[in-house]
Amino acid sequence: MTIDVIEFTDAQYSALNEEQLQEVMSAQTKKDKLLSSLNEKKRKEKFRLLKNGIFRSNIYDSLCAQWDGEYQAELNAIKERLLFYLRFSLKVETPVGHPYVVDYALSYSERFMVVRDYYLATYSNPTARMDAFKQDTVAPSYLGEYYASLYDYFLDKIEN
């Protein structure tokens, strides 16, 4: 099973317990069924319009745009429910003396900025920054889906 309902790294998935992995797999299954249903709906409508001789009109494109919007809204709801669940079930005790504030009341984007700003202010050398970030045991669970983005951001600073 390919998991693409959320963007987690392998390290983040390995930190999840069995119940949390079940929630991720359940959300992925819902997403896959939703996509399958959308594709089937489009296929049937295309056939119906072809049969009636009006497929070349803008009807199909309009319907597809509407259905894609509905699909995206439902997918966002599935994703938000999953991230909300993981946000509050992944709480890890912050080690004493942890360098940045770990506040689970912050949104993921605010957490991202706190962690990013800490590492940018503390480490001027991109390689040292990346090494320190990789050693951070709290960041994968604290940042959730944003961990991979910050990892790529710091990696890009090394390469450029």
Side-chain angles (χ1 to χ4, degrees), residues 38-137:
L38 173 66
N39 290 334
E40 182 63 16
K41 197 178 207 182
K42 286 180 177 181
R43 187 192 66 75
K44 284 181 179 179
E45 186 62 20
K46 181 177 181 180
F47 178 76
R48 188 183 73 79
L49 292 172
L50 281 169
K51 184 177 171 185
N52 292 334
I54 56 173
F55 178 71
R56 293 197 183 271
S57 69
N58 290 332
I59 295 172
Y60 183 73
D61 292 336
S62 297
L63 286 172
C64 285
Q66 177 187 343
W67 292 336
D68 287 342
E70 292 169 0
Y71 165 79
Q72 195 58 49
E74 288 183 52
L75 178 59
N76 287 343
I78 291 170
K79 184 176 177 178
E80 287 305 313
R81 281 192 296 271
L82 175 61
L83 290 174
F84 179 83
Y85 170 79
L86 293 176
R87 177 180 184 184
F88 292 105
S89 69
L90 274 177
K91 289 186 178 179
V92 177
E93 292 300 316
T94 306
V96 176
H98 196 71
Y100 52 86
V101 177
V102 176
D103 181 0
Y104 284 91
L106 297 175
S107 69
Y108 281 107
S109 58
E110 291 169 325
R111 295 178 196 186
F112 176 90
M113 291 187 298
V114 166
V115 176
R116 181 201 62 198
D117 292 348
Y118 163 74
Y119 280 103
L120 289 175
T122 307
Y123 300 94
S124 58
N125 181 319
T127 304
R129 181 185 311 127
M130 185 66 176
D131 290 340
F133 182 68
K134 285 196 268 186
Q135 299 300 317
D136 189 339
T137 58

